[in-house]
Amino acid sequence: MRLFGLFMLIFIMWMMIMIVSYFLVFIIGPLQVNLFYNSTDRLVSSIIKASLAIGLVVVLILLLGILKTKYLQKTLLRN
Amino acid sequence: MIYLLDIIIYAIIVSAVSFLSIFLITPAFIKYLNKKGKVVVDYHKPGKPNVPRPAGPVLLIGLVISEITLYFLILDVKIISVLLTTIIAFIVGYIDDVKTMPGWFKPAALILAAIPIIILGSHGDYLGLIFDSAFIPILYILLILSIIPIVGNTINSIDVFNGVASGFIIITMIPLLVSVILFGSTNVFLMGLPLLFGSIAIYQYHKFPSKIFLGDSGTLLLGSMYASLSIVGNSEIIGVIALLPAVMNSFLFLSSVKKIVEHRQVKTRPVAVCDDFRLMASKDSSAPATLVRLILARGPLTEQEIIRRIFILGTFSSILAFISIVIQYSFMMGEISL
């Protein structure tokens, strides 16, 4: 089936979005940092959470890049 | 019950206004464009016919009339912000239609289109992340400023064959509207109906063989309105999942050429036209990777076969969007917890 590979590629992309969402909600979301034990901690926590979230999205894009390269090698260059 | 009846009546009114205005104005506009010589060559067909372009102004007229009608019915400021975003995106696209602009112009100028949503406060502070939502008031603004240009250009870059952009929007609007009614509001659902029915109307002229091309003004308008509806309807992730084939196309192209350029600026074409007007994937390893090139990797296809396959992929990603909606709804209602 001609589109099977593309279906799989889209499905993997979807799974990656779901995994990133899971990490953001259940791992990064509840993260709390207590350094100074005052209101500054909330700001520090937010900055760390935002940095981790952006980092996770960058990792997602890098993984997509690797996935794309593998798929291209398998389909276009082989043909 | 009266409330539900009101919604149904408003839905019928805005859908009919959008569909009929675009469906009835387009033939006259096609004649006007032909008369003015505003045509481009359709290289994928025998005889290389001239096709009038752009359809953006007709789409804009239909959408503005229907959204203003809706505004007088429900008086929601979100309509104004979505409308302003759509109008700015149209202007950006129209400038590119009449004057060839550099590759950076559309993404950069489309950032302006996101501003009405932020200024009028039509966005929420929570980003729906399937399993829950995240409170990110500052990051969310940055997200809005990037979503509109990305989605606008994504729809623009998938419009490579007759009817693809309008057909793709029709398919992907269905999960988006379901998501908006569940996670957003009825008002935003009503605001989305003109885009769906306007796209259905223009598809009658845009589908193979095209009687009119959308142009950048049409595709950026469709993409930006889709993005703004997903933002004001708290359905950003669902909207992106439904668009995955188009997102993949943009991602493949950008990561191949490594910079923001117009497709016309790329020296090596990703596909070539055979003698029998079927299309085949380029064998040149330096040619950019695109969704169509991947579809053609196993052999040449006709234009109609490619269009059908793009729609099948759009349907597949829309099914994934529906699965995501079910998961998100289940978590929201507390039927599933981790």
Side-chain angles (χ1 to χ4, degrees), chain A residues 1 4 13 17 19 23 30 32-33 38 41 47 52 55 58 64 70 75:
Chain A
M1 192 180 161
F4 181 75
M13 286 171 82
I17 292 172
I19 291 166
F23 267 87
Q32 281 300 329
V33 177
N38 57 28
D41 282 346
I47 291 168
L52 285 171
V58 171
L64 285 176
K70 295 268 181 210
T75 54

Side-chain angles (χ1 to χ4, degrees), chain B residues 266-278:
Chain B
V266 179
K267 286 175 186 157
T268 322
R269 307 301 300 171
V271 294
V273 184
C274 306
D275 293 337
D276 58 358
F277 281 92
R278 284 191 305 161

Side-chain angles (χ1 to χ4, degrees), chain B residues 206-218:
Chain B
H206 189 217
K207 70 182 177 189
F208 184 95
S210 285
K211 295 182 180 72
I212 191 166
F213 284 157
L214 298 186
D216 290 327
S217 56

